[in-house]
Amino acid sequence: MSGVRMMTVAEADGESRLDRWLKKRLPEVTQGQVEKWCRTGQVRVDGARAKASTRVGPGAEIRVPPMPKADPEAPRPALTPGVPEADARMIQAAVLWKDEHIIALNKPPGLPSQGGSGQGNRHVDGLTAALMFGYKDRPKLVHRLDKDTSGILLLARADRIARALSEAFRQRTTRKIYWAAVAGVPNPKMGTIRFGLVKAPGRGGAGEGEKMVAIHPSKVDQTEGAKRATTDYAVLDALGTRASWVAMVPITGRTHQLRAHMAELGHPIVGDGKYGGSGQENLGDGWGAQLGGDISRKLHLHARSIAFDHPITGKRITLTAPLPDHMTRTWKTLGWVEQDVPADPFRDTE
């Protein structure tokens, strides 16, 4: 038997029932074991006895009793029926924050939000059974991120919550800030991009199969299928003239908006083969989405933070997602430090 452990409820865990928190942290523990631990006083919250239904929040100290050794001969139950165990663990590890109504994921790059041709069930929407955490319904996607874009993705536990959050996106009361590494350095270092976007002809299905073409704002109304699109951007740091760290706020929410807008400026997002040319090396003038050397060829676009009004409590919730591994390595290589920049560089300019 392994020894007693003291575990602390993290800020990202939000508030939840003790049994649900324990089963998220210790998936091998059954509901029956949790209830037995509570009855016998083996689990304690801040030193006091607790019930399975006791509410625990950030900062609470949980005493966890010794875990019984697993029988190597015993069959190992699936973590979530219908979801491969590795995928269930991956999507559960991506949970950034949750409460009784909303789940926020830090979506890994390369994982689609929804299914498409050849995707099977390995997308966020197909893995939501692993995000039920004791609730009866699968959570529902509120918005999407491109397959290769990482960062914050919201899911709602009920239809009414999904509707409320979707309406907040439409009313633009939800604020999203993206971080990207881009080729070259935009000039001016802070501005607004207003190019419209239209689907390129000859492209197939939705989502990743599409490519968007930028349209000058004066020609949007005369271009069939074009929609107006607006992005605020700010340069946070730069490596000479070769690359820069840019924050972006999508005022509208068009397909591939940030990627197409930055490419139209002449500063495609690093690793963006669709809009920057996978074979184009950046030589400092801005064109070419590859920096070469030790820099990853993956897309360097991350949904860094989101702020929204909670549909039930009315409280303003602000969440921040750590960078994915490949962007963390790039930031280290280029000498960029996350703590050196403001969380919202646009706040003082509005």
Side-chain angles (χ1 to χ4, degrees):
M1 308 234 329
S2 54
V4 170
R5 284 181 288 173
M6 298 301 296
M7 302 174 73
T8 303
V9 179
E11 190 70 32
D13 292 339
E15 184 177 302
S16 66
R17 286 171 52 119
L18 174 61
D19 52 358
R20 290 176 182 147
W21 185 87
L22 282 168
K23 287 195 288 182
K24 179 196 169 187
R25 293 292 169 189
L26 306 168
E28 67 273 24
V29 174
T30 65
Q31 181 70 25
Q33 284 177 308
V34 173
E35 291 177 359
K36 181 179 178 181
W37 285 347
C38 292
R39 284 196 310 272
T40 56
Q42 295 182 76
V43 162
R44 292 181 178 258
V45 177
D46 293 331
R49 295 176 72 110
K51 297 179 180 180
S53 59
T54 296
R55 308 292 299 183
V56 296
E61 292 284 336
I62 314 296
R63 178 197 186 274
V64 180
M67 300 287 291
K69 286 186 178 179
D71 179 359
E73 302 299 325
R76 192 174 180 183
L79 195 62
T80 304
V83 177
E85 185 169 327
D87 286 346
R89 292 188 183 280
M90 175 273 295
I91 201 69
Q92 289 176 0
V95 174
L96 187 67
W97 176 89
K98 63 183 175 67
D99 66 4
E100 295 179 353
H101 309 285
I102 299 166
I103 297 172
L105 299 180
N106 185 7
K107 187 187 82 65
L111 181 69
S113 297
Q114 291 180 301
S117 58
Q119 297 290 355
N121 286 325
R122 201 176 191 279
H123 47 80
V124 175
D125 200 34
L127 299 176
T128 52
L131 297 173
M132 292 168 66
F133 300 120
Y135 287 78
K136 65 177 183 176
D137 295 322
R138 292 161 56 128
K140 302 160 183 65
L141 281 171
V142 175
H143 59 120
R144 295 184 301 171
L145 292 175
D146 290 348
K147 175 183 175 181
D148 294 320
T149 302
S150 58
I152 295 180
L153 190 63
L154 297 184
L155 297 92
R157 294 194 190 273
D159 288 339
R160 65 190 180 101
I161 303 299
R163 287 193 295 270
L165 289 172
S166 296
E167 183 61 23
F169 277 107
R170 281 192 291 273
Q171 296 294 328
R172 300 178 187 172
T173 60
T174 297
R175 184 168 181 80
K176 294 185 289 183
I177 297 177
Y178 288 72
W179 279 2
V182 308
V185 184
N187 184 27
K189 291 191 174 180
M190 180 176 281
T192 300
I193 308 167
R194 293 189 171 86
F195 280 88
L197 296 171
V198 65
K199 291 179 186 177
R203 300 279 170 173
E208 287 300 307
E210 294 176 353
K211 184 169 183 179
M212 308 304 289
V213 175
I215 304 294
H216 191 276
S218 65
K219 297 182 179 179
V220 171
D221 292 339
Q222 292 80 45
T223 305
E224 184 179 355
K227 295 181 179 179
R228 296 195 176 274
T230 305
T231 300
D232 290 336
Y233 75 89
V235 176
L236 303 179
D237 204 344
L239 180 70
T241 60
R242 187 176 174 84
S244 52
W245 169 8
V246 172
M248 293 174 284
V249 172
I251 306 303
T252 52
R254 310 303 182 199
T255 299
H256 297 177
Q257 176 175 316
L258 303 181
R259 297 163 64 183
H261 269 175
M262 294 311 298
E264 185 63 23
L265 280 193
H267 302 285
I269 295 171
V270 172
D272 193 347
K274 184 182 288 286
Y275 291 94
S278 59
Q280 295 180 6
E281 188 111 342
N282 172 257
L283 302 176
D285 60 355
W287 278 106
Q290 303 302 337
L291 296 184
D294 295 329
I295 304 301
S296 171
R297 296 176 72 88
K298 291 182 179 179
L299 183 69
H300 285 60
L301 178 60
H302 179 68
R304 171 65 173 180
S305 67
I306 192 167
F308 62 93
D309 296 325
H310 196 289
I312 301 301
T313 67
K315 181 182 176 182
R316 189 72 171 173
I317 305 293
T318 301
L319 304 172
T320 301
L323 290 170
D325 290 344
H326 73 282
M327 290 181 68
T328 297
R329 290 193 299 270
T330 295
W331 261 233
K332 185 176 181 180
T333 299
L334 301 182
W336 296 341
V337 180
E338 296 178 42
Q339 292 74 25
D340 287 352
V341 301
D344 188 344
F346 306 93
R347 184 174 295 159
D348 295 334
T349 65
E350 294 176 345

